[in-house]
Amino acid sequence: MLNFNYVTDAVSIGLYVLSWVLIGLLVLKIYRRQQVKPRWWKAAVATLAGIVTFTINWELSGELVKIPILPLGVWILYGILKRKEDRWDKYRSFAWLGFASNFVFLAATLISIPLYSLVYPESDAATHIADADNASVVAIHPSGEDGLILDKDRLIDQLPSMDQEKVESDVWYNQMYRKSEGKRNKNERFPYQLIGVSSKWGSGVKPVIYLEDDGKGILITTPDEQSYFRFNQSILQEGMAR
């Protein structure tokens, strides 16, 4: 079953809601077909009980996938209802539907992974910087220069043509170490942070964006990965700090 604690983006939420709508329609279909109908709320409870399962957790592309193995809820409901004649027969279909619902959620999770990448591509900087109207830059390291301000127009104009390059952490560290004359942390490749930007609506991502010392590169950091992009022109300019 989809764990709602991990459902934070528009794609996953949409599929989560559609899954519940499909399950609700199937409950209604089974309910209408039964000759001896239980109370509707008891049918709903039996379905929810059937969802309780023993699962195996598997992480796929940063998404938690739950694979249902044993129908614990069905077994528990059977143990409770079998004591009274015909009671299990009334609720059996709903309980097994609940167990089958886990596979609906599993399918939704698997579909959401490629669909999310299609709607919110990591290789597109505009996914992380969709709104830069309130953007600004702050120095977060002593090697950053004071008095530099962000050229918002140049930032916005260059976003569609940004080139993604490989993140080379070890190479960058060695370069900064040599540039610092062997003194650790004297210089920093990304001494600025870009703040006040918003990611693409519905992405559910709140990245931390670092700006390179030459103003031409940004390092976008999310809980899952880092992406490095280069501008053709620096987005920093001299001016009074705002």
Side-chain angles (χ1 to χ4, degrees), residues 102-126:
N102 288 281
F103 294 94
V104 175
F105 291 122
L106 175 61
T109 301
L110 296 176
I111 292 171
S112 72
I113 294 172
L115 187 58
Y116 181 90
S117 298
L118 182 65
V119 178
Y120 306 107
E122 290 285 344
S123 59
D124 187 357

Side-chain angles (χ1 to χ4, degrees), residues 185-198:
N185 297 330
K186 181 180 177 181
N187 289 287
E188 168 60 46
R189 189 181 186 93
F190 299 93
Y192 309 102
Q193 185 175 341
L194 190 63
I195 61 174
V197 298
S198 300

Side-chain angles (χ1 to χ4, degrees), residues 58-233:
W58 176 41
E59 189 170 332
L60 178 63
S61 299
E63 186 76 27
L64 183 65
V65 178
K66 296 194 170 188
I67 304 174
I69 302 297
L70 301 175
L72 299 181
V74 176
W75 293 345
I76 293 171
L77 200 62
Y78 172 73
I80 295 173
L81 298 180
K82 71 175 182 178
R83 301 169 186 174
K84 202 166 184 178
E85 189 176 354
D86 296 334
R87 287 187 70 185
W88 170 243
D89 291 336
K90 286 184 182 179
Y91 300 102
R92 178 176 55 193
S93 297
F94 299 105
W96 281 112
L97 174 60
F99 176 68
S101 298
N102 288 281
F103 294 94
V104 175
F105 291 122
L106 175 61
T109 301
L110 296 176
I111 292 171
S112 72
I113 294 172
L115 187 58
Y116 181 90
S117 298
L118 182 65
V119 178
Y120 306 107
E122 290 285 344
S123 59
D124 187 357
T127 298
H128 306 285
I129 309 176
D131 183 0
D133 290 341
N134 298 315
S136 61
V137 63
V138 294
I140 57 173
H141 191 272
S143 62
E145 296 182 31
D146 294 327
L148 294 179
I149 62 173
L150 178 68
D151 189 330
K152 295 181 186 179
D153 293 334
R154 191 174 288 177
L155 167 64
I156 295 171
D157 290 342
Q158 294 185 91
L159 274 176
S161 59
M162 291 187 72
D163 296 322
Q164 185 175 16
E165 299 185 8
K166 184 179 179 181
V167 176
E168 298 181 304
S169 302
D170 293 339
V171 175
W172 293 344
Y173 177 81
N174 290 330
Q175 288 176 347
M176 287 296 100
Y177 188 77
R178 290 195 298 270
K179 188 176 179 181
S180 302
E181 300 176 349
K183 295 180 181 179
R184 187 177 181 182
N185 297 330
K186 181 180 177 181
N187 289 287
E188 168 60 46
R189 189 181 186 93
F190 299 93
Y192 309 102
Q193 185 175 341
L194 190 63
I195 61 174
V197 298
S198 300
S199 56
K200 194 173 182 180
W201 182 90
S203 67
V205 177
K206 296 180 179 179
V208 178
I209 305 174
Y210 301 101
L211 183 60
E212 205 161 356
D213 52 2
D214 63 357
K216 293 184 178 181
I218 57 172
L219 182 67
I220 299 175
T221 302
T222 68
D224 298 323
E225 62 180 354
Q226 290 184 319
S227 302
Y228 176 55
F229 297 88
R230 289 286 294 177
F231 296 105
N232 291 322
Q233 295 178 299

